[in-house]
Amino acid sequence: MRKKWFIIQTYSGLENSIREAIQTKIESFGFSHLFGKILVPEETKLDRANAAAEKHIIPANARLLVKENQDVAKGEPVAEELEIKVKNDGAIAEVKNYRVIFIETADRRYTKTYYIPESAKIETGVKTGARIRQGMPLAKSGEYFCELDGKIVYTQKMKRVVIERVNGEEDVYLIHPDSCDMRLVKRGTAVKRGDVLGDSRKVTSKTEGRIELSELPGRKEIKIFKIIRTRLYPGYVFIEMIMNEETLNLVKNTPNVVNFVSVGGQPVELKGKEVKALLRLVGIEDYEEHVGPIKIEVEFEIGEIVRINSGPFEDFVGKITDLDPERQELKVVVSIFGRETPVILGLSEVEKIV
């Protein structure tokens, strides 16, 4: 007997949980031969229009676990920071909370890293992405000042561990608080070369999104642009099944299932052309499932005047002459020394002029 397609009516927002619940019941009853696919049609968009991408700054020696333009799920690891091991025998002389502040000039030619004890009380305005000028204080203690004009690329709380060698010299280590075992890393503890001060640490995505990578001096930068999934038919689930009394009751008795879409009390079977349209809609051909194309929403358009917000042309204003959403790039024509020059940029490197 051939399986046919039907529509289940449920409550908006519960479509995926209903699908999972029905699938679990099918397997537990041994009815897999009576059911086929269960679909919740969705439209997938890449939210490039929102400038606030998730960002991770990792050390240059960290191992990347993702590639450019790769899609990742929420909670999936994107990078791994290496173990921090003792270089020389000695004893731990100091363990303090520090703040690492990395500042970069607008043209990215010069950088400066500051290591400031938390006891100095970091200024409230010292945040990732903030503009900063030469001479501005970094801490309330009055001992630390910025030495260049630029932008704060990142700030990070760290444990600063000082190990005094047998010969009296010192080795200094900066360890992420999540990696540092404070039961072992204590002042006065004797350590040997090769002992682990900080475990390897995996950096995970906080959202489902698409990866953009940058290799920069002294660090790697990972941006994750959010993927948004929208139900095409809120409150409906499409199911392929052999309709009989047992399968009908199995579905109808699943919690939060309202009913089948019916006429005169009889579930309505989808027509052939409706089935083909449904399968195309969710990216399934010949009953082989694959991921459909992701629509990339771009807030810019050709001819628009925008401001460049990073890189060697930061703060330049120019006109968009070309857009490539799939490559996440655009071409902007800027005026340099009186001559129009085309520049290829990432979508995140430009912003609208308000």
Side-chain angles (χ1 to χ4, degrees):
M1 194 171 183
R2 187 173 62 88
K3 299 183 183 75
K4 299 177 182 179
W5 283 91
F6 300 90
I7 307 173
I8 302 168
Q9 188 176 2
T10 181
Y11 300 103
S12 181
L14 298 179
E15 298 89 352
N16 280 325
S17 61
I18 291 295
R19 177 178 60 183
E20 293 169 4
I22 292 174
Q23 191 61 55
T24 299
K25 290 179 71 175
I26 290 169
E27 293 171 2
S28 64
F29 279 84
F31 283 180
S32 296
H33 61 291
L34 299 175
F35 288 85
K37 296 186 180 300
I38 307 174
L39 302 177
V40 179
E42 295 177 328
E43 182 180 57
T44 307
K45 297 179 182 179
L46 183 66
D47 189 10
R48 291 297 310 235
N50 184 355
E54 180 182 339
K55 183 186 293 186
H56 298 278
I57 307 295
I58 58 175
N61 66 346
R63 186 165 66 95
L64 290 172
L65 303 178
V66 291
K67 298 179 181 179
E68 181 77 12
N69 287 331
Q70 178 180 332
D71 293 336
V72 295
K74 181 179 179 180
E76 185 174 342
V78 296
E80 183 177 25
E81 296 182 6
L82 304 181
E83 283 184 332
I84 298 176
K85 295 183 178 180
V86 175
K87 299 175 183 176
N88 301 285
D89 294 354
I92 297 177
E94 181 183 288
V95 180
K96 286 187 177 180
N97 294 322
Y98 262 64
R99 186 78 62 92
V100 179
I101 303 171
F102 187 92
I103 299 174
E104 182 179 68
T105 57
D107 58 9
R108 293 192 170 183
R109 292 179 60 187
Y110 303 101
T111 63
K112 180 73 175 180
T113 305
Y114 295 88
Y115 304 94
I116 304 176
E118 289 286 353
S119 58
K121 297 183 179 179
I122 306 299
E123 288 283 359
T124 53
V126 177
K127 299 177 181 178
T128 298
R131 302 285 180 131
I132 195 163
R133 297 292 182 185
Q134 184 177 2
M136 288 179 64
L138 298 173
K140 300 183 189 301
S141 66
E143 300 176 47
Y144 302 92
F145 295 89
C146 181
E147 299 173 51
L148 72 171
D149 294 345
K151 181 189 292 185
I152 299 175
V153 177
Y154 70 87
T155 70
Q156 177 64 64
K157 293 182 179 181
M158 303 289 277
K159 294 288 184 181
R160 184 177 182 269
V161 180
V162 179
I163 294 180
E164 185 176 343
R165 303 187 206 171
V166 177
N167 61 8
E169 295 182 0
E170 292 182 341
D171 294 325
V172 179
Y173 304 85
L174 288 169
I175 308 172
H176 194 283
D178 293 346
S179 303
C180 190
D181 188 344
M182 297 310 298
R183 295 173 299 178
L184 302 176
V185 181
K186 294 181 180 179
R187 186 176 178 181
T189 302
V191 292
K192 294 183 178 181
R193 180 178 179 179
D195 285 352
V196 176
L197 292 175
D199 296 326
S200 61
R201 186 178 77 94
K202 286 189 176 179
V203 179
T204 58
S205 173
K206 297 176 183 177
T207 185
E208 180 185 14
R210 178 167 290 181
I211 296 292
E212 180 181 290
L213 301 174
S214 300
E215 295 272 355
L216 301 167
R219 70 192 190 279
K220 296 173 183 174
E221 184 176 280
I222 304 172
K223 288 183 180 178
I224 305 173
F225 292 92
K226 189 175 182 180
I227 290 176
I228 300 173
R229 302 186 187 277
T230 306
R231 303 278 188 277
L232 292 177
Y233 301 101
Y236 295 96
V237 177
F238 296 79
I239 188 167
E240 183 187 25
M241 59 187 286
I242 293 174
M243 181 66 71
N244 59 36
E245 187 176 350
E246 289 181 313
T247 57
L248 175 67
N249 289 332
L250 181 146
V251 173
K252 289 183 66 174
N253 292 332
T254 301
N256 295 315
V257 167
V258 176
N259 206 341
F260 283 90
V261 173
S262 306
V263 173
Q266 293 298 314
V268 175
E269 176 191 345
L270 288 180
K271 297 176 181 178
K273 63 180 181 180
E274 294 173 328
V275 172
K276 289 180 181 179
L278 172 66
L279 297 180
R280 282 198 302 269
L281 194 62
V282 296
I284 299 176
E285 297 174 2
D286 298 328
Y287 285 72
E288 290 298 324
E289 190 168 355
H290 63 81
V291 178
I294 294 180
K295 292 186 178 182
I296 301 176
E297 290 194 332
V298 179
E299 62 175 338
F300 307 108
E301 57 185 31
I302 293 176
E304 183 177 357
I305 305 299
V306 294
R307 179 181 289 109
I308 301 173
N309 60 28
S310 63
F313 299 100
E314 184 170 10
D315 290 330
F316 274 69
V317 172
K319 179 188 288 187
I320 298 174
T321 59
D322 192 21
L323 271 172
D324 189 341
E326 288 300 322
R327 295 182 59 135
Q328 302 180 31
E329 291 180 345
L330 44 70
K331 183 185 290 184
V332 177
V333 174
V334 297
S335 179
I336 303 175
F337 306 119
R339 177 178 296 179
E340 289 192 340
T341 304
V343 181
I344 303 296
L345 301 164
L347 291 176
S348 61
E349 294 180 283
V350 299
E351 59 188 27
K352 286 183 172 289
I353 296 176
V354 180

